[in-house]
Amino acid sequence: MTPVFLQGKAIGLFANTCHVMDIGGRVFGADAPSIYEEGLAIPIMKLADRGRLNEDLIRIIRANVRVPQTVLGDVYAMIAATRWAERNCWR
């Protein structure tokens, strides 16, 4: 989620949701008996602050997926989508 500001005032939030492949213990499917087999449970925290990535969080993600380059590519694409919306939707 990315906050949007207009003339220094917060006016909204942009967010997106994406299914990131290759996270979790089972192959694709909804038959996992617990959340721990379906994904990566991360407490609520900032992925970035004032444009700087939270490198600790990036390391956590990288260490807990099978194909870190692909998963982080998806994460960066989600960041790019909210940044694009922030720059282009209030003109």
Side-chain angles (χ1 to χ4, degrees):
M1 190 170 349
T2 301
V4 180
F5 298 90
L6 182 63
Q7 298 173 348
K9 181 180 177 185
I11 59 169
L13 299 167
F14 281 113
N16 65 45
T17 303
C18 174
H19 179 84
V20 178
M21 298 298 292
D22 203 38
I23 294 180
R26 292 186 177 225
V27 296
F28 181 74
D31 61 341
S34 80
I35 187 65
Y36 300 105
E37 293 183 44
E38 275 295 310
L40 182 59
I42 301 172
I44 295 173
M45 64 179 61
K46 291 182 180 183
L47 176 59
D49 189 10
R50 302 182 202 285
R52 285 188 72 153
L53 281 176
N54 179 342
E55 293 298 333
D56 290 331
L57 180 53
I58 296 297
R59 281 192 290 280
I60 289 169
I61 295 169
R62 184 181 302 282
N64 285 282
V65 298
R66 291 180 199 90
V67 186
Q69 304 296 76
T70 303
V71 171
L72 288 172
D74 289 342
V75 170
Y76 297 145
M78 289 187 281
I79 292 168
T82 59
R83 285 185 178 167
W84 183 92
E86 177 186 13
R87 290 185 190 118
N88 293 285
C89 290
W90 299 108
R91 291 182 178 185

